[in-house]
Amino acid sequence: MPARHFDARRRVVIERVRPEIDGGRFPIKRVVGEKVVVEADIFADGHDQLSCRILYWDETDKEPHSAPMEPLVNDRWRGEFHVSEIGTCRYTVEGWVDHFKTWRGDLLKRIAAGQDVRIDLLIGAEFIEQAASRAAGKDEKLLREWAKHLRENADQEPGASIALEEDLLPIIGRYPEPFLMTRYGKELLITVDRPRAGYSAWYEIFPRSTSAEPGGHGTLRDCENRLPYIASMGFDVVYLPPVHPIGHTNRKGKNNSVAAQPDDVGSPWAIGSEEGGHKAVHPRLGTIEDFRRFVAKADEHGLEVALDIAFQCSPDHPYTGEHPEWFRMRPDGTIQYAENPPKKYQDIYPINFETPEPLALWEELKSVFQFWINQGVRIFRVDNPHTKAFAFWEWVIEEIKRDHPDVIFLAEAFTRPHVMYRLAKLGFTQSYTYFTWRNTKPELTEYFTELTQTEVREYFRPNLWPNTPDILSEFLQVGGRPAFMTRVVLAATLGANYGIYGPAFELCENVAVAPGSEEYLNSEKYEIKHRDLNAPWSLKDFIARINSIRRAHPALQSDRGLRFHETDNPMLLCFSKTTEDLSNVIVVVVNLDSFHKQMGWVNLDLQSLGVNNGRPYQANDLLGDGRYLWQGSWNYVELTPGIVPAHILQIRRWVRTERDFDYYL
Amino acid sequence: MPARHFDARRRVVIERVRPEIDGGRFPIKRVVGEKVVVEADIFADGHDQLSCRILYWDETDKEPHSAPMEPLVNDRWRGEFHVSEIGTCRYTVEGWVDHFKTWRGDLLKRIAAGQDVRIDLLIGAEFIEQAASRAAGKDEKLLREWAKHLRENADQEPGASIALEEDLLPIIGRYPEPFLMTRYGKELLITVDRPRAGYSAWYEIFPRSTSAEPGGHGTLRDCENRLPYIASMGFDVVYLPPVHPIGHTNRKGKNNSVAAQPDDVGSPWAIGSEEGGHKAVHPRLGTIEDFRRFVAKADEHGLEVALDIAFQCSPDHPYTGEHPEWFRMRPDGTIQYAENPPKKYQDIYPINFETPEPLALWEELKSVFQFWINQGVRIFRVDNPHTKAFAFWEWVIEEIKRDHPDVIFLAEAFTRPHVMYRLAKLGFTQSYTYFTWRNTKPELTEYFTELTQTEVREYFRPNLWPNTPDILSEFLQVGGRPAFMTRVVLAATLGANYGIYGPAFELCENVAVAPGSEEYLNSEKYEIKHRDLNAPWSLKDFIARINSIRRAHPALQSDRGLRFHETDNPMLLCFSKTTEDLSNVIVVVVNLDSFHKQMGWVNLDLQSLGVNNGRPYQANDLLGDGRYLWQGSWNYVELTPGIVPAHILQIRRWVRTERDFDYYL
């Protein structure tokens, strides 16, 4: 007889626990204070009643907390709890055949049918005595008294009412029969992050473009002077491309030309020279002390520094000499450069994660993160993680977060869906998305429904970027300033996490290097830029307003409350974000057409917004200051791209009428 | 560094393998010869090409067979294989980074771009040499020659064509680099059954009602005389309610009355008396030798005997005295009878699976199956398995099938969906369904789509019963003879497995004991019946015709090919069943209204039937002998309940026209 015999009396089955990512292989994600709703199919043979509960442990708990579960329909149970500590939380589910509950329900039916229940009351007394034997202290005493009282009155009138005593139900509920308990076979994990993991506004800037001198090579000190400007727009994170020495060999010139001129500065992603590799600061940017000072100055402005980690090397990187075994060799004895045949990227050597002894490589790469953590960095934007081994990411993120659970990793992977999701499962805190190329109503609706209303939301935190130094989308190229307004409103309201590459974005730079290309003309990746931040067309004030709306409205600080609403015009996108208690309700309407005024009707799902369908409500435009008095689900909007192509409406549910005045009654 | 370091170089990830029931906890089901289609998400970091395959083992295989997988879209791969041995088959999936395939694809791009590929050809030669070092014999020789030839010509004109040699691709494909291979972490199981598990027609009969003498107690010998009749209707399985001694204490009388008369025969499900329990034959039915003889006689008529196993006891069952610990005790010292408060079933004692030492109980119950296997039974219809512990079923079915993999277990569970599905997952070969209460077009469509087009089909084999001794459905009560015709056509064509309780069914017995009840008036459960099998309204010839259609048409012998088609009349249900190769195509149209002629249009999905939309096709009614020439997807039907309420149409796709004659061209 197999070992499972010893579980023979555990009659309860627990199936389809949600959330559970890939059978429990991966954790779900939350920020501190967030709620976890757990559901499971829980049932047993026969017709006995069950009781169920969640067990959960915060990072430092030895003993679990418990949260009750309630039945929904069709053997589905649900409960919830909140996570309160940064780190790794666990949860599981328990269910048991509850003979006392079954007996009590049956007793009610027997009494209703006028049956003799004297024997049944004695059965009940036995259940209570059994529970008492598992209890202690005051509970045990109460249960023993109850059983005794019931036995003594089983033959008499008050027996039934003693048996049905409601006050004692919670007490007996605490002492289920252990051999009847089934605990779900897995403890499921939650990565609990600090709040910024769930809500952040990023601003990407090339420090070398911050010199006060036109044409001069900016330094980290120059970049400090840019901090007030960035902070004034309301961003939280200032993200720097790699700050390391740049290779000389096969350096790319302006506009990615293969023949660099002597004064070309090269791409910051061609990392490493005789001046150092991933742990060095480019001498023209300054010193490591300058870097630490920059981190501290940013903090004074309420900004955190995010650093780009790009695990690849220029031909001049120290690794190429010290660790040739970390690269692929060609039969002619040279190191294999990056390729996407027939294209060749001879200024970049990819690292070979199939190297026979990956241990040393992994440790070295981990030490890069550790080095910058030691300089005060807690946010890393990881370049192209999808071209490095999955196993490495899982290992290194776990290693780093063990000692620094506050570290945030953003995955810059623009690749196939399964790969992007896998990286998020492996531990990346936030992820780049396809938002950059989702422009139409059906595209945005379908994609953001997938991200926020399916299992994906449990492990993948979207971070939305309308542009990056690599991507000037066609929408931005053709739509002029209104297109930039539309895209930043969408990014900042569809996503609790979003970012822009500036100042290219707020200055509406929109010229591509060639038709059909998404590369910027005169890309900042290959040259120093000098810009007039006060250009009259700058969107800095518009962006500042959006970020201040985000700060004032918690509904915009999470993606779980996203819901799309019908409109009768395909150019009008309407969605809402709400806090769970509906205390904060935001409705966004965006004109997706950058050229024409669009008007039409939006059909709000009022129930989801907590609005009473019969009463008027106020829709206050936080962006344009308009105030609208609406009633019913269908309401008219018109949006002119040349003015402001979007409403960000706060819904105020209680509009006073004469019936609210005392004298009306 | 954790142990997973040693997998650091395995870059391929395998996810979402299907079929996989509850994370591999349960096997899928097939009959011998059936196909298993396996899909998985398989991907790696970066842009290298992958190769993937299924590995599978039949019951007796030590080494796996392999079946290729092909990419679909979005990193999904698919392959298939057939199971060929009764028993337990296993399968899993492997994928690997295929450097040679990647290199070959890149080489084609480089050549197209006119690049110098001399170094690339040397890289290719290295890959071929590495494969050769893993090969042996003729393959090794061929690969070594290939590599040598390529090296010698790498600088010359024929180098590229040598590298791209297609004939050698399958050979190098057999020798992937082991350290790059990822095998899915689980071996998934298949319970492979004999064909009758997937295709069967059952006939339930009470042996005691087969006496030639009106009122006489039929015997197993009498029942032998009924076999030609049952066989003539084309059934495969003759299913007997319990044949054991029946209890006296609290025996139920006619129509379930609590006060039995002295000559009342009692319910066969009140098992056990001083004459024996679950391993005895009721003396009035005959001896154990008679039982064995009945099994042999049935076999002569092409019929298998299915025996009812009902693990419950009458108060007189030997177990109640020998093993009181297998029952619950009441405080007054009596055994707890069955209840559904406030209803009491005092003639039945349920077994208590929470008994402190279940081992002895389980072994005893297992020995009941073994006893009847020894008498020649290979099919068991298990009564109310949902009121016995799940763990017991999993154990006992595995134990029995280890020695007797040809045994079929039918779960008679009419209960909540999760419980029914769980029992199927635990090992029951076939299962009763809600078909009995699904009468309308939306009900039938939704339910049978769930059973045949979702994961449920992998483990739950429906067995459809229009009636049982417990259930005379309202549809049958009110619809007269046409209702019986409709329901048997539906059962026999929607379900490859189906059964009827006869002769009540073919004689259209339809009087309930009370309005709103599904109990038969004068139920055969409590008394002996004597019937005129040749009543003019008997459906025996109709049923014989249906069963002969099932035998002639393999499309009706499986449920996987079921598909519903649109009709413009809610009373007309239309569905098709097809073999996988579309060599056999059956379209069924049923009038669900037992009172009125219904007419309308059916809209066939011609592509799914393999019909060329532009050409006419024949629809031959196998039930009514009509032949219709149809063209296009929309076709007219009318069905009169008083005549035949259904078409079972065989679609013949190639109708000859003048263009088929030589002289037309």
Side-chain angles (χ1 to χ4, degrees), chain A residues 1 8-9 11 13 15 41 46 74-75 99 110 115 339 342 354-356 359 362 386 395 416 418 422, chain B residues 1 8-9 11 13 15 41 46 74-75 99 110 115 339 342 354-356 359 362 386 416 418 422:
Chain A
M1 180 162 294
R9 301 195 300 169
R11 292 165 46 205
V13 164
E15 286 184 342
D41 294 339
N74 194 17
D75 294 321
H99 285 307
R110 293 181 215 277
Q115 291 181 351
E339 287 189 286
E354 288 178 4
T355 184
L359 178 64
W362 286 20
H386 58 291
W395 174 81
R416 306 186 319 283
H418 285 117
R422 182 78 179 190
Chain B
M1 180 161 292
R9 301 194 300 169
R11 293 163 47 205
V13 164
E15 287 186 341
D41 294 339
N74 195 17
D75 294 321
H99 285 307
R110 293 182 214 276
Q115 291 181 350
E339 289 188 286
E354 288 178 4
T355 184
L359 179 65
W362 287 18
H386 58 292
R416 306 187 316 285
H418 285 118
R422 182 79 180 190

Side-chain angles (χ1 to χ4, degrees), chain A residues 1-2 4-5 7-16 22 25-26 41-48 74-76 97 99 106-107 109-110 113 115-116 119-120 122-123 126 179-180 328-332 336-337 339-344 353-359 362-363 385-392 394-395 398-399 415-419 422 425, chain B residues 1-2 4-5 7-16 22 25-26 41-48 74-76 97 99 106-107 109-110 113 115-116 119-120 122-123 126 179-180 328-332 336-337 339-344 353-359 362-363 385-392 394-395 398-399 415-419 422 425:
Chain A
M1 180 162 294
R4 84 167 77 94
H5 158 61
D7 276 340
R9 301 195 300 169
R10 298 194 198 283
R11 292 165 46 205
V12 172
V13 164
I14 303 176
E15 286 184 342
R16 214 162 54 95
D22 292 1
R25 166 78 173 79
F26 298 108
D41 294 339
I42 310 180
F43 54 92
D45 66 276
H47 306 288
D48 292 321
N74 194 17
D75 294 321
R76 192 87 180 145
V97 171
H99 285 307
D106 288 350
L107 182 66
K109 291 180 201 160
R110 293 181 215 277
Q115 291 181 351
D116 178 346
I119 301 274
D120 299 289
L122 295 177
I123 294 175
E126 268 179 37
F179 86 79
L180 298 174
R328 282 189 199 281
M329 285 295 162
R330 290 167 62 82
D332 60 1
Q336 178 66 57
Y337 44 83
E339 287 189 286
N340 182 15
K343 288 193 212 160
K344 303 178 180 191
F353 282 81
E354 288 178 4
T355 184
E357 288 299 333
L359 178 64
W362 286 20
E363 289 287 1
H386 58 291
T387 60
K388 286 92 194 170
F390 292 132
F392 165 68
E394 185 168 30
W395 174 81
E398 188 179 313
E399 288 277 307
T415 181
R416 306 186 319 283
H418 285 117
V419 177
R422 182 78 179 190
K425 291 175 186 174
Chain B
M1 180 161 292
R4 83 168 78 94
H5 159 61
D7 276 341
R9 301 194 300 169
R10 298 194 198 283
R11 293 163 47 205
V12 171
V13 164
I14 302 175
E15 287 186 341
R16 214 160 56 92
D22 293 0
R25 165 79 175 78
F26 298 109
D41 294 339
I42 310 180
F43 53 93
D45 66 276
H47 306 289
D48 292 322
N74 195 17
D75 294 321
R76 192 87 179 143
V97 172
H99 285 307
D106 288 350
L107 183 65
K109 291 179 202 161
R110 293 182 214 276
Q115 291 181 350
D116 179 346
I119 301 274
D120 298 289
L122 294 177
I123 295 175
E126 269 179 37
F179 86 79
L180 298 175
R328 281 188 200 281
M329 285 296 162
R330 288 166 63 81
D332 61 1
Q336 178 65 58
Y337 43 83
E339 289 188 286
N340 181 16
K343 289 192 212 160
K344 303 178 180 192
F353 281 81
E354 288 178 4
T355 184
E357 289 298 333
L359 179 65
W362 287 18
E363 288 287 0
H386 58 292
T387 60
K388 286 92 194 171
F390 293 132
F392 165 69
E394 184 168 30
W395 174 81
E398 187 178 312
E399 288 277 308
T415 182
R416 306 187 316 285
H418 285 118
V419 177
R422 182 79 180 190
K425 290 174 186 174

Side-chain angles (χ1 to χ4, degrees), chain B residues 613-630:
Chain B
N613 200 1
R615 298 204 62 176
Y617 52 99
Q618 235 181 62
N620 295 352
D621 191 353
L622 305 169
L623 205 53
D625 271 341
R627 287 173 182 244
Y628 309 96
L629 198 57
W630 283 359

Side-chain angles (χ1 to χ4, degrees), chain A residues 193-205:
Chain A
D193 290 307
R194 60 187 171 114
R196 183 143 291 158
Y199 163 57
S200 60
W202 294 48
Y203 186 85
E204 177 173 5
I205 183 168

Side-chain angles (χ1 to χ4, degrees), chain A residues 265-285:
Chain A
V265 288
S267 163
W269 285 274
I271 295 171
S273 75
E274 66 285 353
E275 290 154 332
H278 284 77
K279 296 174 193 168
V281 173
H282 193 305
R284 295 186 72 180
L285 289 176

Side-chain angles (χ1 to χ4, degrees), chain A residues 277-332:
Chain A
H278 284 77
K279 296 174 193 168
V281 173
H282 193 305
R284 295 186 72 180
L285 289 176
T287 64
I288 194 71
E289 289 71 31
D290 290 336
F291 184 87
R292 280 203 296 268
R293 188 180 133 118
F294 179 75
V295 171
K297 286 281 173 193
D299 183 55
E300 288 171 20
H301 287 88
L303 286 161
E304 266 195 79
V305 173
L307 192 64
D308 197 316
I309 299 292
F311 285 134
Q312 57 191 19
C313 298
S314 95
D316 311 311
H317 194 293
Y319 290 164
T320 63
E322 295 163 10
H323 292 287
E325 74 279 12
W326 292 350
F327 302 91
R328 282 189 199 281
M329 285 295 162
R330 290 167 62 82
D332 60 1

